[in-house]
Amino acid sequence: MLSNSIEPTSTQTSEANSSPKPKWQPLKTPEWMNVYYLLYRLLSPTIIVLATLCLIHRNNAILSVLILLSGIDNIIHFKLLPSTTLSSSIIMLETVSRSLLKSLLCYLILLYTFGVSFHVQFSNNDGGVVDSNPQNDTTGNPFDSFSSLSESFVKALVMMIGEFNAQDIPFYRHQLSYLTFLFFLFLVTLVIMNLANGLAVSDVT
């Protein structure tokens, strides 16, 4: 007795097995959840609010932030100009800024730990050996002597780009400070900064 169903041939079976399966694709992040999109949308209202506050009561801190945000807003709107060269430059600036910020956020913990380490080694109250020669004492400049955690973190950020000002760093307080400084020089200044340059080049090309 013949069956009503038609059995697939071996060729059809092999074609069905060899057909590519749909690949899994990650969900796209909505625009309202994008941090850069939110910052871009909030930039103009923030400028309006700050300008209103400055008109009501002048504050130099608010005025300085207003000037900075106005300059950033003007730069962003330059990419809408018909000039291809100028708009391309602004788009490249925006792309590189995003990639560098993403990579820098991953290394903020490392920079903060280096700042804390420098604060422990170079601050006045660390119990280290103090040089008896007053000419070598650099405590007059608290930024170079890592007197607080906030200044140490900012100093570590400045040192990341190669601005060490090493002649004012009190290495004499700890012998271990030389090793910490060399480790920072290799890991942060050489490795991380070259990685950032590589990311910038890959985004532009």
Side-chain angles (χ1 to χ4, degrees), residues 66 72 153 167 180 193:
L66 176 62
I72 295 174
F153 178 66
Q167 70 274 7
T180 307
M193 289 307 298

Side-chain angles (χ1 to χ4, degrees), residues 101-175:
L101 283 176
K102 289 179 182 179
S103 61
L104 184 60
L105 288 176
C106 300
Y107 304 117
L108 280 180
I109 298 178
L110 181 62
L111 292 174
Y112 183 75
T113 53
F114 269 112
V116 174
S117 178
F118 289 148
H119 171 68
V120 172
Q121 293 181 4
F122 298 138
S123 60
N124 291 328
N125 54 355
D126 58 353
V129 179
V130 179
D131 194 357
S132 59
N133 188 0
Q135 295 180 355
N136 295 330
D137 191 9
T138 58
T139 56
N141 190 353
F143 185 71
D144 290 329
S145 60
F146 303 91
S147 59
S148 65
L149 288 176
S150 59
E151 291 176 349
S152 300
F153 178 66
V154 176
K155 178 67 175 178
L157 287 175
V158 174
M159 291 169 62
M160 182 179 65
I161 62 175
E163 188 67 27
F164 298 111
N165 203 12
Q167 70 274 7
D168 293 331
I169 298 177
F171 289 106
Y172 55 86
R173 292 177 181 167
H174 272 288
Q175 297 297 328

Side-chain angles (χ1 to χ4, degrees), residues 58-128:
R58 180 175 177 178
N59 190 319
N60 290 333
I62 297 177
L63 183 60
S64 63
V65 175
L66 176 62
I67 294 172
L68 180 61
L69 293 180
S70 301
I72 295 174
D73 187 62
N74 290 329
I75 290 295
I76 292 175
H77 284 86
F78 279 166
K79 65 181 179 181
L80 302 177
L81 296 177
S83 176
T84 306
T85 304
L86 184 59
S87 60
S88 300
S89 300
I90 301 302
I91 292 174
M92 286 190 294
L93 175 64
E94 183 179 355
T95 304
V96 173
S97 299
R98 288 184 179 184
S99 62
L100 288 181
L101 283 176
K102 289 179 182 179
S103 61
L104 184 60
L105 288 176
C106 300
Y107 304 117
L108 280 180
I109 298 178
L110 181 62
L111 292 174
Y112 183 75
T113 53
F114 269 112
V116 174
S117 178
F118 289 148
H119 171 68
V120 172
Q121 293 181 4
F122 298 138
S123 60
N124 291 328
N125 54 355
D126 58 353

Side-chain angles (χ1 to χ4, degrees), residues 160 182 184-195 197:
M160 182 179 65
L182 291 177
F184 177 88
L185 175 64
F186 169 75
L187 186 61
V188 177
T189 307
L190 296 180
V191 177
I192 294 181
M193 289 307 298
N194 284 318
L195 176 62
N197 292 330

